[in-house]
Amino acid sequence: MARTSANFSTGMTYGNDELVRVQGVSIAASEDLGIPEFERLLPSYLRELGYETCLIGKWNVGKSREHYLPNHRGFNTFYGFLDGSIDYYTYDLIETWNGDIAYGLNLYNNTEPVEDQIGHITEVFTDKAVHIIQNHNSTYPLYLHLSHAAPHVGGGMVNLQTPTDTIAANSHIAHSARRMYAGMVTGLDKSVGRVVAALSERGMLQNTIIVIVSDNGALTTGALQNFGSNFPLRGVKGTPWEGALRSPALIWHPLLPSTTWRGLFHVTDWVPTLLSAAGGSIATHIDGIDQWFSLKNGEKPKRKNALLALDSLNGWLAFREGDLKIIIGQHNHSWDAAAMTVRLAVATVACVSGKEHAARDLRQRVDASRGMPRHLTPRVASLRSHTVAQSNSNVSGARISALYSQNSGCRSVPLPWVG
């Protein structure tokens, strides 16, 4: 989704008008939207440290103006697609505009369309990544951002596309569409293996930080369902639930301990964390927190709360405070069959730790007059102020504020791990 890519690249959440405008669905090919020119991206910081910066794969944070394009945002080279999805074999993007269907090529080498490429796009991107590693001048450090399309649905007429050998590798899965999805993930696994092998062969692996992340949970229902699974978490992509927002991540370096890190890490933290690992820093304020030493030395996480999502188009936001999660606004998204009839009170509070004692402690601290844990009252007021501030430039921000006012008398109840 465009918002996750923007958060990852800038270390910012929703701090300015234009960034707020890219919250919700991904930027369409016909939209004049993108990350504002004054926002700096991770590769631009790394170039100041002498890095060669390369992007392969998905961009999707603006293309309608020259300054939105990757080559103008800190990347030395770009090979990939500029919109939200791509057909895995034809490299087309098909979109519906006002009831009419439009399509066109969505693969570029820097700013030039690529018309002579063949092959499955996962393998094409992997080949490009391996080529960059094999031909890299090791005098300079390398930042290689490989943003695969897989296992996202394709941008053409067919949602799931994968080579036959990856399907055969998952013959034990009975459901044919689920087997196809698993084949796409198998292709992704092979890609990671080839990239790691290339780094090892060049003698670069032991001086490399490898990060593997996902931008959101699977879309398991609707016309664009990909037959992934978010179990045991509730919800799908585009909702305020944990199945949409809590994504797995892996970070590897010889100096990092082999462990499962259980701290709170927000997508905006990658910019200051990776920059710190590279020996740099950021002088201006951003929302991300440097957690490199927490990861490296096993120290307590620095992050205690996080604005998880703000959907300015549909009028809701989700916030994490310690082990508690607050959802403000109303949600009724057709993507989520389980939530189609759900009407959330203005501040639904859920325990996201899954620990019985935390839920019990929450019940003990509920203010009977408001149905709200006492220590969260200032936080909800702050969130309300945040949405009011957005209303000056964004109608959806005003909508969220109105939802708060209309439902301020609703009782909120502590819930088990549902969010």
Side-chain angles (χ1 to χ4, degrees):
M1 299 177 76
R3 56 182 167 194
T4 307
S5 299
N7 299 156
F8 178 92
S9 300
T10 63
M12 298 292 290
T13 48
Y14 315 96
N16 65 69
D17 297 345
E18 292 190 64
L19 269 183
V20 169
R21 289 172 61 204
V22 301
Q23 309 315 312
V25 296
S26 297
I27 299 173
S30 58
E31 287 188 282
D32 184 18
L33 287 176
I35 298 177
E37 190 174 10
F38 57 79
E39 293 287 356
R40 292 193 63 184
L41 276 59
L42 176 59
S44 72
Y45 291 112
L46 291 173
R47 283 182 67 171
E48 290 183 347
L49 299 178
Y51 277 74
E52 182 77 11
T53 57
C54 305
L55 171 62
I56 298 173
K58 184 175 180 177
W59 178 239
N60 196 215
V61 286
K63 72 169 189 178
S64 59
R65 301 172 188 266
E66 190 175 50
H67 66 256
Y68 287 155
L69 297 174
N71 297 96
H72 294 270
R73 305 312 298 267
F75 286 104
N76 295 113
T77 63
F78 166 65
Y79 188 97
F81 58 107
L82 295 169
D83 296 287
S85 57
I86 186 173
D87 185 283
Y88 282 77
Y89 285 104
T90 67
Y91 319 132
D92 285 343
L93 171 68
I94 299 178
E95 287 190 349
T96 301
W97 300 343
N98 299 322
D100 295 325
I101 295 178
Y103 70 93
L105 182 67
N106 192 23
L107 184 63
Y108 298 86
N109 182 14
N110 295 316
T111 58
E112 296 298 319
V114 177
E115 301 183 89
D116 57 353
Q117 183 68 62
I118 59 173
H120 190 273
I121 199 64
T122 300
E123 297 175 347
V124 170
F125 288 159
T126 305
D127 289 343
K128 295 295 181 183
V130 170
H131 177 79
I132 286 176
I133 293 169
Q134 290 175 339
N135 293 275
H136 176 64
N137 181 354
S138 57
T139 303
Y140 305 96
L142 171 66
Y143 173 64
L144 175 59
H145 187 139
L146 177 55
S147 183
H148 271 297
H152 197 285
V153 295
M157 301 299 290
V158 182
N159 282 356
L160 304 177
Q161 300 164 290
T162 191
T164 55
D165 63 312
T166 64
I167 300 175
N170 293 279
S171 59
H172 58 286
I173 299 176
H175 192 286
S176 58
R178 176 70 177 167
R179 189 187 314 137
M180 184 82 74
Y181 174 83
M184 296 174 74
V185 176
T186 296
L188 192 60
D189 289 343
K190 289 182 177 181
S191 174
V192 173
R194 288 187 58 199
V195 170
V196 172
L199 289 168
S200 179
E201 291 168 2
R202 277 298 313 275
M204 299 167 62
L205 183 60
Q206 296 304 306
N207 194 31
T208 296
I209 296 174
I210 298 175
V211 174
I212 301 175
V213 295
S214 176
D215 58 351
N216 48 250
L219 185 56
T220 60
T221 62
L224 297 179
Q225 63 179 317
N226 62 4
F227 295 92
S229 173
N230 301 321
F231 182 83
L233 302 178
R234 175 187 182 182
V236 301
K237 174 181 177 179
T239 70
W241 313 119
E242 292 296 281
L245 305 176
R246 188 190 303 189
S247 296
L250 178 149
I251 180 169
W252 179 91
H253 184 271
L255 295 180
L256 294 176
S258 297
T259 185
T260 299
W261 196 72
R262 302 191 181 279
L264 178 59
F265 196 102
H266 190 260
V267 63
T268 57
D269 296 341
W270 285 116
V271 169
T273 298
L274 294 177
L275 196 59
S276 175
S281 61
I282 300 176
T284 58
H285 170 76
I286 63 171
D287 298 321
I289 297 173
D290 175 10
Q291 303 217 58
W292 173 245
F293 291 100
S294 296
L295 294 171
K296 178 183 174 183
N297 302 327
E299 300 172 1
K300 290 184 178 180
K302 294 183 178 181
R303 180 174 288 281
K304 305 300 180 183
N305 54 59
L307 180 57
L308 301 176
L310 187 154
D311 191 325
S312 57
L313 298 179
N314 295 299
W316 55 261
L317 65 81
F319 188 89
R320 171 84 176 262
E321 177 81 35
D323 281 342
L324 301 178
K325 178 177 173 183
I326 307 167
I327 299 173
I328 292 181
Q330 298 184 7
H331 174 264
N332 185 11
H333 206 301
S334 60
W335 281 356
D336 186 1
M340 286 180 68
T341 59
V342 171
R343 305 296 290 178
L344 295 175
V346 79
T348 299
V349 181
C351 170
V352 294
S353 68
K355 298 178 181 178
E356 182 179 352
H357 71 83
R360 182 172 61 251
D361 182 52
L362 170 61
R363 292 188 181 92
Q364 292 172 352
R365 290 183 280 114
V366 167
D367 185 327
S369 65
R370 293 181 58 85
M372 177 68 63
R374 293 185 184 90
H375 74 290
L376 289 184
T377 302
R379 176 64 69 186
V380 173
S382 174
L383 292 174
R384 181 187 183 189
S385 298
H386 178 86
T387 57
V388 170
Q390 302 302 339
S391 67
N392 295 328
S393 59
N394 190 292
V395 175
S396 297
R399 179 184 174 195
I400 297 176
S401 179
L403 287 171
Y404 185 96
S405 301
Q406 293 167 7
N407 293 280
S408 58
C410 293
R411 285 183 58 83
S412 300
V413 295
L415 301 173
W417 183 33
V418 297

